[in-house]
Amino acid sequence: MPCMAEDDHTVFRPAEQGGGPETPGPAEQPIEIPGVQITGRLGEGGMAVVYEGLDEGFSPPRRVAVKVMGASLSADPEFRARFEQEASLVADFRHDNIVHVYASGEVNGEKYLVMEYLSGGVLADKLEEGSLPTDDAIRIALAMAGALDYSHSRGIVHRDFKPGNVLFTAEGKPVLSDFGVAKVTTRKDAALTRHASVIGAARYMAPEQELGEEVTDRADVYSWGLTLFEMLDGDPLPSKLRQIHGTELQSALASQLLGAPESVSTLLSRCLSVDPAGRPSAAECEATLKPLTRDGHHGAPTEVNHAAAAPAGRRWLLPGILGLSALIAVGWLVSGLIGQEPEPAPSPVDVGDATVQTQPDPGIDVPVNARPASAALYLD
């Protein structure tokens, strides 16, 4: 049961991360795709080469990434089927955090995908520099949980979730890529399991994957948990922590991840359960992390209390209470002054033909907390 190694996948290095794409030389003849001009080479792996290109069907031309499977692999029925599956699966996806596939086809025996160009780097590269700020780690994990939930709800298990398959747009939005080894749970295709019953990157593989057993969407959740731990800690989960489970693992994670909320350690201990049935769904992971962000999508945790709007018939209750409180306070103040020598009443001020009274006439009623007829008050 061969295991697909990490370098079996394309290494993507956008221009902003590595000094720009390589310009194809005279001896190198990249694939000629109608309507797409190849402008450089971004990277390659064991299965494909990725080029930078311009989609000339737009004005101005749109930057795209072109993933090309070599002719030798295209001749292999299994690899060909996987490449075609990735094109058909992702082309139907409509999710902001899953890479967009614009077109696919074949030229001179070479299969290709025209995809969204992602210039913001790769999560794997960012982790080489150490851990991420807690807010950023939670933001990225939240987006990826949403992407996995979307995929799982359509019967697709990614099977190769890892930092190397999380890319970023120029604005920093995380995007899940590479569905080349995805499993469609709604059907059984012997052609796609014949040579690869163990598939994925070993460091981020769920225990059942390592054993070549049947995998479900909970395998992706295990890989997602390992990735979140690495974002928070800076290093992959230590092997010693893989040997403990339950409350013991939860306590160990809480001690290891001192800057993370307790709910994150609790969630991770469930995601890293050996038993797939003990792991939460991607939707549960998303629901757990969402309250830790500013607006449910990104930013630092914050607490915002929203008071419920009062019913229409009670909107004047609060001002009435405040007015009553004011009267009580005035009464207390007046009672405190009882027994003191009264100050002499101020003399009228002579202003010629008119007299100005400096205190209200005792016979005039001064309303407290009166509401003008035209006033309107809305409580949020």
Side-chain angles (χ1 to χ4, degrees), residues 1-47:
M1 295 184 296
C3 175
M4 299 190 71
E6 294 211 34
D7 58 1
D8 285 335
H9 296 78
T10 303
V11 178
F12 181 70
R13 295 291 183 268
E16 288 78 357
Q17 301 296 317
E22 301 175 11
T23 302
E28 180 185 2
Q29 297 296 326
I31 188 172
E32 296 183 2
I33 300 174
V36 177
Q37 178 187 357
I38 302 297
T39 58
R41 181 183 179 123
L42 292 171
E44 65 179 303
M47 292 180 63

Side-chain angles (χ1 to χ4, degrees), residues 28 43 54 56 79 89 96 106 128 172 188 195 215 225 243 250 283 285 296 307 313-314 331 342 357 369 372:
E28 180 185 2
L54 294 174
E56 298 174 330
F79 284 106
L89 290 180
D96 285 345
E106 181 176 338
E128 289 181 0
K188 191 170 184 178
H195 297 303
V215 299
Q243 310 304 318
Q250 180 180 337
C285 295
R314 299 173 58 192
Q357 190 74 23
N369 196 38

